[in-house]
Amino acid sequence: MRNTHAKVLVVGGGLGGVAAALTAARRGLHVVMSEPTRWIGGVLTSQAVPPDEHRWIEQFGCTATYRQLRTAIRDYYRQHYPLTETARADRRLNPGAAKVSDLCHEPRVTLAVLEALLAPHRAAGRVELLLEHAPVAADADRDAVQAVTLEHLPSGDLLTVTADWVIDATETGDLLPLAQVEHVTGAESAHDTGEPHAPATAAPSNMQPVSVCFAIDHRPGEDHRIDKPARYQHVQEARIEHWPGSQLSFVAPHPKLLTPVQHFFEPNPAGDPSEIRPDYADERVGTMDRNLWTFRRIAARGNFQPGAYPSDITLVNWPQIDYWEGPVIDVPDADRHVEQARQLSLSFLYWLQNEAPRPDGGTGWPGLRLRGDLIGDSPDGLALAPYIRESRRILAEHTVTEQEIALEVRGDRGALAHRDSVGVGMYRIDLHPSTGADPYIDIPCLPFQVPLGALLPVRVRNLLPAAKNIGTTHITNGAYRMPLVEWNVGEVDGHLIAFCEQRGCTPSQVRSRDDLLTDFQAELSAAGVELAWPRVAGY
């Protein structure tokens, strides 16, 4: 077993982990960051999910560095891709021209941008990156994490990293049980949280579903059909309450009304991609947004020079691939559920290629081609990692509840204002049909703040969360789980550690002492971290 030391150990190279590592390195701290896959970037890269954001993202409502990340992604396209002159000149370039986001793009582009941001710090030795390393043990003593042992997954070799500060940026809060950090999973009870949409009884295994995403294009006249997946018949025949029939269908529940909605599928539709704009209120009006092809499209051929893209490329992260048969956290058969989630995605692709009803009366699109080359080259052509919507969550000094952010509770008062705000975010409270057989919970939300108390474990003093493992509930995680919040939290972690090092204080003292909190918030504001919203309405 090898050993090394870091001032800051970041376990997990997702968006929050990268933001934390970058911020700490920019402030002169030595960082070791591990990542279990071959790609840093998490949700936007290895999980292959375009960024769900809010309607004001082009003006405000995120940190300055997150906005710089978005700009760098667009600049990468302008520098390296054969855009049309119209697309190149569009300040709000949306490469995929999709309904879900102002910036739908290829995961590999985000990877290139993130690697470029880290490159000077890696060259200077401020950041050491350990790819394909996952935590397997932790040593904790006297309310502090002393060391974390990482396994190099291809070889099985072990590396123990001692560190003054540890950031859990894993997708499922993996360090929390290893370091015996108090945490929760699944749904809390209404008795404990007082939340209108919480269940009467706590259900630790009731979690949001995972999804294994994939990218496809369409080559008419060609045959790119995959072999029938082993679980295809099971997927075809499975039924759950609140879902209108099989998942192998273009019919899915309306997230808010729970009534059946008939979507359609039209590869490579004609039309000007600039006419498609995101509908952040998700009102499902018109017809364009019901075409699953354009919903999460990551390359619209009309944005590129004629002939550069023979087909659009779309990213499949649709309700039909939500896997709710079991959680992938704290269960003995977690790996089996991950594999079955991959089988579900392959089954849906097989159905699209062979059995899906076409408008002309035929069935299937054999020319749908799996584009695993764009999302990590996994053996089955799907995303390298499943999209995780819900993680283990720390027991925090402050836990955000539904009553603090829900529009129907707060009304025109706005979201609860936090004295210790360290950021902002906005997304509807959006929970997909769960592993506990709950239907969609999709309710309006108010633009909210990120309280420092939600980043602080109740006991452990040198570990900070930097993903979906902050102090939210099962309900409020549905709003706080978005990429821009994850980036905000990771960035604040880096600033907080540097501030505590300089002032000789603990994170809890920063929150409890007015003088320290005022100075810390001033540093955040100077760094471009927004702490409050202008007066805007929720949706």
Side-chain angles (χ1 to χ4, degrees):
M1 182 184 296
R2 296 183 298 123
N3 299 275
T4 190
H5 178 78
K7 173 60 72 175
V8 181
L9 171 62
V10 179
V11 182
L15 274 187
V18 172
L22 277 171
T23 305
R26 287 166 176 167
R27 297 198 58 162
L29 303 178
H30 173 239
V31 180
V32 170
M33 180 169 69
S34 66
E35 162 57 36
T37 73
R38 300 190 304 274
W39 281 16
I40 60 172
V43 62
L44 297 188
T45 60
S46 60
Q47 297 175 36
V49 180
D52 287 287
E53 296 170 325
H54 55 70
R55 63 172 56 173
W56 306 283
I57 190 62
E58 300 294 336
Q59 291 80 41
F60 48 80
C62 67
T63 73
T65 59
Y66 184 80
R67 186 164 290 111
Q68 290 163 7
L69 171 66
R70 299 174 85 255
T71 298
I73 290 169
R74 285 172 168 150
D75 287 346
Y76 191 94
Y77 274 93
R78 293 187 179 102
Q79 293 167 12
H80 300 289
Y81 280 69
L83 297 169
T84 65
E85 291 306 311
T86 299
R88 189 178 305 279
D90 187 357
R91 182 182 64 84
R92 294 177 56 172
L93 170 65
N94 190 350
K99 292 296 295 184
V100 77
S101 170
D102 269 316
L103 190 57
C104 272
H105 60 281
E106 297 174 31
R108 196 179 288 276
V109 173
T110 299
L111 176 66
V113 169
L114 293 177
E115 288 182 333
L117 290 173
L118 283 175
H121 302 289
R122 295 181 68 184
R126 287 185 295 272
V127 174
E128 298 179 46
L129 178 58
L130 305 172
L131 296 176
E132 298 183 284
H133 281 74
V136 293
D139 179 19
D141 182 48
R142 298 182 182 179
D143 299 337
V145 180
Q146 309 294 329
V148 175
T149 298
L150 305 167
E151 180 183 1
H152 181 232
L153 298 177
S155 68
D157 293 342
L158 298 178
L159 170 66
T160 295
V161 184
T162 58
D164 297 338
W165 298 89
V166 177
I167 294 175
D168 184 345
T170 62
E171 300 299 326
T172 53
D174 296 342
L175 276 188
L176 304 184
L178 293 177
Q180 300 178 31
V181 179
E182 292 83 357
H183 65 279
V184 296
T185 62
E188 299 91 344
S189 72
H191 177 269
D192 290 336
T193 68
E195 294 175 305
H197 285 86
T201 304
S205 295
N206 186 11
M207 305 179 196
Q208 288 218 53
V210 303
S211 299
V212 180
C213 303
F214 57 92
I216 50 176
D217 60 12
H218 185 230
R219 299 299 186 96
E222 300 180 10
D223 190 341
H224 294 282
R225 287 177 292 183
I226 62 172
D227 295 336
K228 180 181 285 191
R231 281 176 58 85
Y232 184 78
Q233 183 173 352
H234 168 83
V235 171
Q236 189 176 45
E237 296 174 354
R239 299 291 187 274
I240 64 165
E241 191 178 1
H242 312 300
W243 194 273
S246 172
Q247 280 184 275
L248 304 184
S249 169
F250 293 137
V251 180
H254 190 293
K256 294 189 285 294
L257 304 177
L258 303 183
T259 54
V261 174
Q262 177 70 57
H263 297 273
F264 68 95
F265 186 72
E266 181 186 356
N268 297 318
D272 183 353
S274 67
E275 295 178 355
I276 299 180
R277 289 296 183 189
D279 180 7
Y280 293 111
D282 194 24
E283 294 171 353
R284 313 277 182 187
V285 294
T287 57
M288 203 54 144
D289 50 347
R290 292 193 181 174
N291 184 3
L292 291 172
W293 183 269
T294 55
F295 185 57
R296 292 186 183 270
R297 183 171 54 182
I298 56 176
R301 67 196 188 286
N303 277 330
F304 303 90
Q305 296 290 339
Y309 277 66
S311 169
D312 296 345
I313 303 169
T314 197
L315 197 287
V316 178
N317 176 21
W318 308 333
Q320 288 86 347
I321 65 165
D322 285 359
Y323 176 81
W324 49 63
E325 289 191 36
V328 298
I329 301 172
D330 290 347
V331 290
D333 54 351
D335 290 343
R336 179 176 67 86
H337 285 303
V338 171
E339 175 54 33
Q340 290 182 179
R342 302 188 81 87
Q343 283 280 310
L344 170 60
S345 295
L346 290 171
S347 295
F348 186 66
L349 173 61
Y350 180 88
W351 179 80
L352 285 173
Q353 292 174 325
N354 293 274
E355 299 178 13
R358 297 197 311 261
D360 63 5
T363 56
W365 284 267
L368 291 176
R369 181 176 63 157
L370 196 58
R371 295 300 305 273
D373 55 314
L374 299 180
I375 57 174
D377 293 311
S378 67
D380 58 11
L382 307 179
L384 290 174
Y387 172 36
I388 303 294
R389 293 182 175 88
E390 184 173 345
S391 170
R392 301 176 182 92
R393 304 179 299 280
I394 63 167
L395 280 182
E397 290 191 6
H398 177 84
T399 299
V400 179
T401 61
E402 180 183 352
Q403 306 88 289
E404 299 177 21
I405 64 173
L407 178 60
E408 60 191 42
V409 176
R410 299 287 301 176
D412 60 4
R413 294 174 294 167
L416 182 69
H418 292 281
R419 159 189 167 274
D420 61 340
S421 174
V422 292
V424 297
M426 171 60 196
Y427 200 68
R428 290 177 63 87
I429 297 176
D430 171 26
L431 283 76
H432 289 223
S434 72
T435 60
D438 290 339
Y440 276 105
I441 297 175
D442 188 302
I443 55 179
C445 186
L446 292 158
F448 53 76
Q449 294 175 326
V450 180
L452 178 57
L455 278 57
L456 306 182
V458 292
R459 178 182 57 84
V460 178
R461 64 180 184 272
N462 74 331
L463 179 142
L464 297 170
K468 300 176 182 71
N469 51 352
I470 65 173
T472 59
T473 65
H474 171 70
I475 300 295
T476 56
N477 166 70
Y480 276 74
R481 65 186 175 87
M482 292 301 120
L484 67 89
V485 175
E486 186 175 336
W487 181 276
N488 190 148
V489 169
E491 184 174 350
V492 168
D493 285 352
H495 284 299
L496 181 59
I497 290 170
F499 183 88
C500 289
E501 285 285 312
Q502 292 169 353
R503 298 296 184 97
C505 60
T506 67
S508 289
Q509 289 171 334
V510 174
R511 179 173 183 250
S512 63
R513 286 177 46 180
D514 288 342
D515 58 335
L516 291 175
L517 181 61
T518 298
D519 289 350
F520 180 56
Q521 289 174 321
E523 284 193 8
L524 293 179
S525 294
V529 177
E530 297 179 19
L531 305 183
W533 284 90
R535 189 167 180 80
V536 290
Y539 54 85

